[in-house]
């Protein structure tokens, strides 16, 4: 997982350059999309039939990262700054060069599932200090339009050995 850097989109693919790898151990992630709809659209003369639901508010993408606290500056200070930052969450067993843990090359398309957010704001960054054990941290975030006019709010990318798909 990386945060920070610069997000850009070219030929329909969003990438983040210059981000920092997260030192915190992330052990859970929830990503939730919500599109509010007006579903109670009854009218006079409709014979009791309901009208088709329509969007009636701004769709949102929110989420929660569950981590082990690593450093105040890594996530908490970003939260306190109340700014936005790019964030990328990758699920793979290969490093960015396509090598596994033993350094064996996987080929040109290592398996990867990426969630790329060009602009997120951390809404919460609670650290639960209740013992001398590992400190659990819960980071709530929300994705935003970064105002670039080219970057999406979220991009989900799936890469397999056969091909990559956006």
């Amino acid at each position: 997982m990386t945060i920070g850097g610069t997000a850009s989109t070219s030929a329909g693919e969003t990438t983040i350059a210059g981000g920092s790898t997260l030192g915190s151990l992330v052990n859970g992630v929830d990503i939730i999309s919500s599109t509010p709809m007006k579903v109670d659209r009854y009218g006079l003369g409709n014979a009791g039939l309901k009208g088709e639901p329509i969007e009636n508010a701004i769709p949102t993408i929110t989420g929660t990262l569950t981590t082990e606290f690593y450093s105040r500056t890594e996530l908490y200070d970003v939260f306190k700054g109340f700014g936005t930052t790019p964030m990328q969450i990758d699920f793979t067993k290969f490093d960015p060069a396509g090598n596994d843990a033993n350094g064996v090359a996987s080929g040109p398309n290592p398996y990867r599932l990426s969630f790329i957010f060009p602009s997120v704001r951390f809404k919460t960054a609670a650290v639960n200090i209740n013992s001398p054990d590992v400190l659990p941290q819960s980071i709530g975030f929300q994705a935003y339009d970064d105002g670039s006019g080219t970057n999406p709010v979220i991009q989900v990318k799936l890469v397999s050995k056969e091909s990559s798909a956006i």
Side-chain angles (χ1 to χ4, degrees):
M1 183 174 151
T2 59
I3 61 171
T6 304
S8 62
T9 301
S10 177
E13 184 174 352
T14 302
T15 58
I16 297 176
S20 302
T21 302
L22 211 58
S24 295
L25 177 65
V26 178
N27 46 31
V29 63
D30 290 319
I31 300 172
I32 302 158
S33 173
S34 173
T35 304
M37 305 287 277
K38 179 152 181 69
V39 296
D40 59 347
R41 300 186 60 230
Y42 294 99
L44 297 175
N46 281 8
L49 299 176
K50 195 180 348 178
E52 182 177 340
I54 57 173
E55 289 185 34
N56 67 347
I58 298 172
T60 59
I61 298 172
T62 59
T64 305
L65 298 172
T66 306
T67 70
E68 293 178 1
F69 182 78
Y70 176 74
S71 166
R72 186 200 80 218
T73 59
E74 188 173 66
L75 294 167
Y76 185 78
D77 284 358
V78 177
F79 158 71
K80 288 299 278 185
F82 204 66
T84 60
T85 187
M87 180 172 73
Q88 182 169 344
I89 303 169
D90 287 333
F91 296 95
T92 184
K93 71 174 205 171
F94 301 102
D95 67 13
N99 299 322
D100 66 14
N102 296 320
V104 177
S106 67
N109 292 316
Y111 296 103
R112 180 181 306 271
L113 174 62
S114 291
F115 295 90
I116 301 168
F117 303 92
S119 180
V120 297
R121 176 171 288 138
F122 296 130
K123 302 285 212 162
T124 60
V127 178
N128 186 8
I129 303 173
N130 57 10
S131 73
D133 197 4
V134 172
L135 301 176
Q137 186 174 25
S138 178
I139 293 90
F141 65 88
Q142 183 167 349
Y144 292 93
D145 181 349
D146 69 354
S148 69
T150 57
N151 294 332
V153 175
I154 183 175
Q155 180 171 338
V156 180
K157 182 178 179 182
L158 176 64
V159 179
S160 69
K161 283 193 173 274
E162 289 77 34
S163 66
S164 66
I166 297 174

